[in-house]
Amino acid sequence: MPPQEQAELWMALRDRMHVDWHELTLQEKKAAYWIAFGPHGPRSLPPPGEGWRIFNLTMLGVGVSFVIFLLIRTQARPAPGTMNKEYQEMTNEYLKAQNTEPISGVSSEGYKGKGQVQSGPKQKTKD
């Protein structure tokens, strides 16, 4: 139906809806319902393939951000000297000697946690 006819039909139906709804015919009620809640405008169905397009663009964004992450990571400095198991174990011993957090921390009686240890052993450098 051409847009001009659609507009005319909609205007006539809009004027007709101002009267008592019991006076409308069944076909007018159905048309009014379709205009109000039909699959057009913001309620229209998505075009075919839109889900795949969104998925592909999302994956492209994730891939680009991963490449940027890798580029930044390759330019980063090495981990600091304190990020090795030996240093962190020495930090635990120092905290025990200072009686730091005697209620629930490393110095507490029967403590079974790892304390400050969060890294693996120190890696040997090739000189």
Side-chain angles (χ1 to χ4, degrees):
M1 182 180 282
Q4 181 65 28
E5 283 183 42
Q6 287 178 359
E8 289 173 8
L9 178 64
W10 185 82
M11 295 299 260
L13 191 57
R14 188 187 68 176
D15 294 337
R16 191 77 178 109
M17 287 191 303
H18 287 294
V19 298
D20 187 13
W21 276 72
H22 297 291
E23 296 176 14
L24 293 177
T25 66
L26 183 61
Q27 189 172 1
E28 288 173 332
K29 288 178 185 178
K30 286 182 179 182
Y33 183 86
W34 190 87
I35 287 173
F37 303 108
H40 54 83
R43 289 182 214 89
S44 63
L45 297 174
E50 184 178 25
W52 281 111
R53 183 170 182 252
I54 291 171
F55 176 76
N56 288 337
L57 290 175
T58 302
M59 289 299 112
L60 176 70
V62 169
V64 167
S65 46
F66 184 71
V67 167
I68 291 171
F69 169 78
L70 288 178
L71 288 174
I72 292 172
R73 189 77 178 144
T74 58
Q75 303 301 316
R77 289 182 258 181
T82 58
M83 291 300 291
N84 62 62
K85 188 173 184 177
E86 292 79 19
Y87 187 91
Q88 292 163 1
E89 286 173 345
M90 289 189 302
T91 302
N92 279 347
E93 295 304 318
Y94 176 78
L95 292 174
K96 287 179 188 174
Q98 295 293 318
N99 200 22
T100 305
E101 288 193 59
I103 296 173
S104 63
V106 177
S107 302
S108 66
E109 194 173 310
Y111 181 75
K112 295 182 178 157
K114 297 189 310 184
Q116 301 297 315
V117 179
Q118 61 182 347
S119 302
K122 188 174 187 178
Q123 294 178 354
K124 299 190 174 147
T125 57
K126 296 178 184 177
D127 290 334

